[in-house]
């Protein structure tokens, strides 16, 4: 990954502050874009290209995905899996069947990797949002079965303040 100058970091921080908290978490994983991307849109920096998906074992699945309002502010995400182990220490490493991490998407944009089963999403803008979690191998390939990603999504309605 290319190092950023102080000026670039300040400019990125200013842009994130102007866009709000959802954008702030969206830059958390700049080295890995959405599936199939070959460059980062803003810089042209090469990213990991995701190739053929990993076949998910028959008993491996994403059991549930919930997004609920936080007691103070924002939203919390929780998911459960079966036959799959989260292994953050192996991320970007060699494939080991039945392990890896998850990718979090909000409205089709990759937000971050998930290494645990809970995540604080923060504030979401008023309106309708689709939150999606996919299970991914250590090498970031999607786990798939029958041509479909091993993923779950929920629609979140955020009321006007």
């Amino acid at each position: 990954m290319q190092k950023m100058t102080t000026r670039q970091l300040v400019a990125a921080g200013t842009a994130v502050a102007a866009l709000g908290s959802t954008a702030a978490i969206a830059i958390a994983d700049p080295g890995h874009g959405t599936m199939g991307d070959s460059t980062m849109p803003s810089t042209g920096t090469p990213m990991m290209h995701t190739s053929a998906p990993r076949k998910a074992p028959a008993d491996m699945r994403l059991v549930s995905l919930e997004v609920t309002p936080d007691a103070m502010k924002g939203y919390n995400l929780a998911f459960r899996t079966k036959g799959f182990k989260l292994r953050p220490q192996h991320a970007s490493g060699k494939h080991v069947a039945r392990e890896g991490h998850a990718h979090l998407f909000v409205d089709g944009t990759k937000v971050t990797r998930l290494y645990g089963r809970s995540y604080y999403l923060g504030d979401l803008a008023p309106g309708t949002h689709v939150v999606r979690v996919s299970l991914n191998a250590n090498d970031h390939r999607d786990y798939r079965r029958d041509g479909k990603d091993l993923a779950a999504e929920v629609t979140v309605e955020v009321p006007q303040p």
Side-chain angles (χ1 to χ4, degrees), residues 45-123:
T45 303
M47 292 191 304
M48 177 181 287
H49 181 73
T50 54
S51 53
R54 295 286 181 186
K55 185 175 180 182
D59 66 335
M60 191 173 104
R61 66 181 194 258
L62 209 150
V63 176
S64 66
L65 171 62
E66 295 179 314
V67 176
T68 55
D70 184 74
M72 189 175 289
K73 73 178 240 179
Y75 290 84
N76 295 309
L77 176 145
F79 70 97
R80 290 185 356 188
T81 63
K82 181 177 180 185
F84 178 77
K85 294 180 183 171
L86 292 165
R87 295 286 192 241
Q89 67 274 26
H90 297 159
S92 300
K94 185 176 128 188
H95 174 65
V96 176
R98 299 179 176 275
E99 74 172 45
H101 56 279
H103 288 171
L104 168 63
F105 299 84
V106 176
D107 298 329
T109 300
K110 183 175 174 191
V111 173
T112 193
R113 297 181 206 165
L114 298 173
Y115 294 141
R117 298 187 192 287
S118 300
Y119 183 78
Y120 177 67
L121 278 168
D123 289 331

